[in-house]
Amino acid sequence: MSAGWRTLLLRIGDRCPEYGGSADHKEHIFLLQCADQLPHKIPFFGVLIGLINLENEDFAKGIVDTTHANLQDALHNENRDRIRILLRFICGLMCSKVVLPNSIIETFEALLSSAATILDEETGNPSWQPRADFYVYCILASLPWGGSELFEQVPDEFERVLVGIQSYISIRRHFDDIAFSVFETDEGNSPNKKDFIEDLWERIQVLSRNGWKVKSVPKPHLSFEAQLVAGVSHRFSPISCPPPTISQSSSEIVKGQEKHEADLKYPQRLRRLHIFPTNKAENMQPVDRFVVEECILDVLLFFNGCRKECAFYLVSLPVPFRYEYLMAETIFSQLLLLPNPPFRPIYYTLVIIDLCKALPGAFPSVVVGAVHALFDRISNMDMECRTRLILWFSHHLSNFQFIWPWQEWAYVKDLPKWAPQRVFVQEVLEREIRLSYFDKIKQSIEDAVELEELLPPKAGPNFRYHSDEGKESTDGHRLSKELVGMVRGRKTQGDIISWVDEKIIPVNGAKFALDVVCQTLLDIGSKSFTHLITVLERYGQIISKLCPNEEMQLLLMDEVSAYWKNSTQMIAIAIDRMMGYRLISNLAIVKWVFSPANVDQFHVSDRPWEILRNAVSKTYNRIFDLRKEIQTLRKGLQAAKEASEKAARELEEAKSIIEIVDGQPVPSENPGRLRRLQARADKAKEGEVTTEESLEAKEALLARGLEESKELLRLLFKSFVEVLTERLPPISVDGDVPNLRAGDPNVNSAARDPEATTMEIDNENGGDNDSQLNGQNKKISHNVGELEQWCLCTLGYLKSFSRQYATEIWSHIAMLDQEIFVGNIHPLIRKAAFSGLCRPTSEGSHL
């Protein structure tokens, strides 16, 4: 690089302190090449290209043309992030006089026109409104980066764009994200609540009234305005948006499926999570908050997998104010985003850890404040979000020596066992033990000894046939000891099966045989996960022989639960591994989870839900993997066919070349070459046949898996409906749906037992006495509050499964409507079951 360019880059750095004047010029060159991965530095890149434009117009014109081609490709490939970043980039180029402002207006109007067409009933498809909303969002999101220049240079045309946006806002359908809210309150039911697009439009209107002044967007071009104005501005060619997808049916189900597909392709990028009170969070203008949020999300997006680099850029955004609280809220909003976070939760855990290390004097206290604020509202938190928060918090503490002011939460010990705050602390401690060991975690809460009651039992097996000298020896003890000897003697599975069939089943029955065999094999494999897997691999056929049906599989899970009653983790792992080896079916797991003993634990422990989540996710992961393998095999089969045809063609061509020898036609090719060609053709054909057979086998497995998933979905929803119908309070005579969170009179009357005793419960945290969820200072029936919480937890998990597997539900929606959701289904069950299919409208329709 010439000395002139080095000087230029250093001058920009010196005159734009937001980017650090001491930065190495080579780093700036690297960042220029990766402009789309550091979008918060787009103003800098714009200035750099603007200055290059003064000396090399062709180079700048090439950048403009390449950007146009990239934007066009991104639109047709539906690459959302690239569309958004490139629109911001061309605004940066316009600020530095590289792109004509009228070209920006034309681009905006093309996107607006496409958005309006999508909403048209005749020429478009309103089910694809998420795409239209995304186009308008991209326009609005780019205005803080170039709105002031457009207002100054082309005010009339810019006003026309704003009027167009206002027109679009007036005709689009309003969305309430109730089903996707972190906190389950009634606030979202208000028709005046703005959705994300309406909120952003209001922020832009405030920005417009303030003269398009944005503190959070650097203006490095102003320092070079005298030079940049002499450059030639280039035209950004018109863009074309992909045509709207026309609906193939007027069916409500088809429209709902199309809407779901559109939501998957164009999800809402951010659902704000206001954790801190206004007197704590940074005071900034609404549009500045939006810009910083966007920058934080961009860094999280482009540096996922590079945790340290991510933390570095998060703490060094080019804004003139502090933003630690906003950064925490934005990261937590992504961690708790429903239905799924953009990246694995572990990524956000590692980023938060690195931010605490990068800003040791500021960010740890912000995280502590966030945890306390979320803990105070845990009773209203969505069940899926609650689980994620437990997993994050326990992992986070494991990286900071499990240090936490537990004494501040010691009061939860006096709350009912089902109180959300008590359950939260209990689950966090249990997860910490998984990441460490019992004595370490017990020591970490020595300042709050009251919480020792919430610790799980010290992990260890509960072997029924343990041989103690003072213990009476039974048939079970004798047979268990004999089985151990057979295992140590390396007896085959066939020998052990014959022994069971001859020595145990005829005398004691199949259930007793399962008891002895399962308990003994689990004890042999109890030393570690590896030992367990080894035992299941070597002796799984014995268990499979003893558990040919669901009844016996249910007994098998009871045995696992009894043996590992002191270890929730090992119960989940053992059942998961048994399902993996097909010793237990997913349907049997669902039935076991919804058995009376486990149903009673729904609101006080995550154990049954963890097992159910594992079973359902493993089922659909198998289908996902099979589809991926089939796609690969189909490509491989096509390549194998082409290779086989090519080899056969070459062989035929070689055979067709003949010559006359002694008046007789004979092949002119060398016999050795013909043999090689024949061998190659045979091998290619064999490869084609083998690939085709593999494809047929995988397709058969997929068909079987899809049928299994359909049965799983049917049983899952049927089980939820049955247990909830038994316990939910009825609809009032006036048709009012009971409000479980407000201590609804119908709830009390439904569960009140005249023999039940009332109990005095201490006021928690000075909370509102109208709420019963954490057992406030009120004389209430213990069973009433517990029933409320059980119903809320179970409905919450039903909603979680609905969101997580919405695509599968849509595939079988007709079956569910005909077989499960028929008759007088409780409206709370229906609402939870269909909450994940799409966001409810303000009119209350879920389709």
Side-chain angles (χ1 to χ4, degrees), residues 696-741:
E696 290 174 358
K698 293 294 183 183
E699 287 176 338
L701 286 174
L702 177 60
R704 175 184 166 186
L706 290 173
E707 191 60 33
E708 285 182 356
S709 71
K710 181 180 178 180
E711 292 302 317
L712 175 67
L713 202 63
R714 177 190 284 117
L715 179 60
L716 183 64
F717 276 86
K718 181 182 177 182
S719 302
F720 269 114
V721 170
E722 287 177 352
V723 297
L724 283 165
T725 301
E726 290 175 3
R727 293 164 175 78
L728 277 171
I731 310 299
S732 71
V733 292
D734 298 327
D736 294 332
V737 178
N739 187 340
L740 298 172
R741 293 190 179 278

Side-chain angles (χ1 to χ4, degrees), residues 84-239:
R84 176 177 52 81
I85 296 303
L86 288 174
L87 282 176
R88 186 191 303 179
F89 184 56
I90 62 174
C91 284
L93 294 178
M94 181 265 299
C95 292
S96 296
K97 313 300 180 185
V98 178
V99 170
L100 288 167
N102 277 317
S103 299
I104 306 293
I105 298 295
E106 290 176 3
T107 302
F108 287 169
E109 289 181 332
L111 292 170
L112 274 174
S113 175
S114 178
T117 302
I118 290 171
L119 297 191
D120 188 87
E121 292 280 357
E122 296 181 359
T123 60
N125 184 355
S127 296
W128 278 83
Q129 181 178 314
R131 178 195 281 178
D133 281 353
F134 172 73
Y135 287 167
V136 175
Y137 153 74
C138 287
I139 297 172
L140 293 172
S142 64
L143 294 184
W145 304 82
S148 60
E149 283 71 17
L150 291 172
F151 178 71
E152 291 175 3
Q153 299 177 41
V154 284
D156 295 337
E157 293 84 350
F158 187 41
E159 180 63 25
R160 190 170 68 233
V161 169
L162 297 179
V163 170
I165 295 173
Q166 180 64 66
S167 299
Y168 173 82
I169 298 290
S170 66
I171 64 173
R172 68 183 288 274
R173 186 174 59 181
H174 168 85
F175 285 132
D176 280 330
D177 286 342
I178 302 172
F180 295 86
S181 298
V182 172
F183 296 106
E184 298 177 343
T185 65
D186 291 327
E187 298 171 2
N189 292 328
S190 170
N192 297 321
K193 182 177 179 291
K194 294 179 177 63
D195 63 24
F196 187 73
I197 291 293
E198 294 163 349
D199 176 80
L200 179 53
W201 173 233
E202 183 178 88
R203 291 169 188 258
I204 294 301
Q205 288 178 306
V206 172
L207 176 62
S208 174
R209 290 193 292 270
N210 291 340
W212 299 98
K213 296 177 182 177
V214 187
K215 293 182 180 178
S216 52
V217 176
K219 301 288 184 181
H221 61 278
L222 296 179
S223 301
F224 298 89
E225 194 166 18
Q227 296 103 303
L228 293 173
V229 73
V232 174
S233 297
H234 306 279
R235 185 170 184 270
F236 192 81
S237 301
I239 60 169

